[in-house]
Amino acid sequence: MNTIENIEKTIKENLAVMVYFSAPTCNVCHALKPKLLAALEANFKEFVVESIDISTEEEIAPHFGVFAIPTVLIYLDGKEFLRKSRHMSVDEVIREIRRPYEIMTS
């Protein structure tokens, strides 16, 4: 089970982290997640993914200011870089993080 402390440790210790908030009742969440994971894997060498089920890990979402699902938080070098909720495309997410990620890893 994820904890706030474990997620914050992951964010601090890794160059690039995606925290994905969803719930079992969210059909959009289930459709989006595998596409995002595949796109991250295809475009970036180092990306750690933390998945949060807000129905079982209820205290985590409010701690990160998440009140809608799906929500994607992207952290680069320990800092929140991108926040997307509800309506997003995979291409949009990848496009927004590509350049800063490439600068950080070059």
Side-chain angles (χ1 to χ4, degrees):
M1 184 166 187
N2 284 316
T3 65
I4 293 167
E5 293 78 22
N6 288 344
I7 295 166
E8 288 179 342
K9 183 178 180 199
T10 298
I11 291 167
K12 182 179 177 184
E13 293 177 351
N14 293 280
L15 179 67
V17 178
M18 177 179 81
V19 185
Y20 188 80
F21 293 86
S22 65
T25 56
C26 174
N27 291 329
V28 174
C29 300
H30 297 295
L32 181 63
K33 185 179 177 182
K35 294 175 185 175
L36 268 173
L37 293 176
L40 287 175
E41 187 175 316
N43 288 281
F44 308 108
K45 287 189 295 187
E46 301 174 37
F47 232 102
V48 176
V49 177
E50 291 283 346
S51 296
I52 309 301
D53 177 350
I54 66 163
S55 69
T56 60
E57 299 162 322
E58 298 171 1
E59 75 287 348
I60 297 174
H63 176 79
F64 286 94
V66 172
F67 301 101
I69 53 171
T71 292
V72 172
L73 303 181
I74 302 291
Y75 290 86
L76 299 177
D77 199 23
K79 296 173 184 69
E80 185 178 324
F81 176 76
L82 181 67
R83 177 180 291 253
K84 294 281 185 184
S85 292
R86 294 192 185 194
H87 306 290
M88 70 190 92
S89 73
V90 172
D91 291 339
E92 173 186 11
V93 172
I94 298 302
R95 186 173 54 248
E96 290 190 38
I97 60 178
R98 181 180 311 279
R99 182 158 166 72
Y101 179 89
E102 288 174 353
I103 291 169
M104 289 173 53
T105 58
S106 62

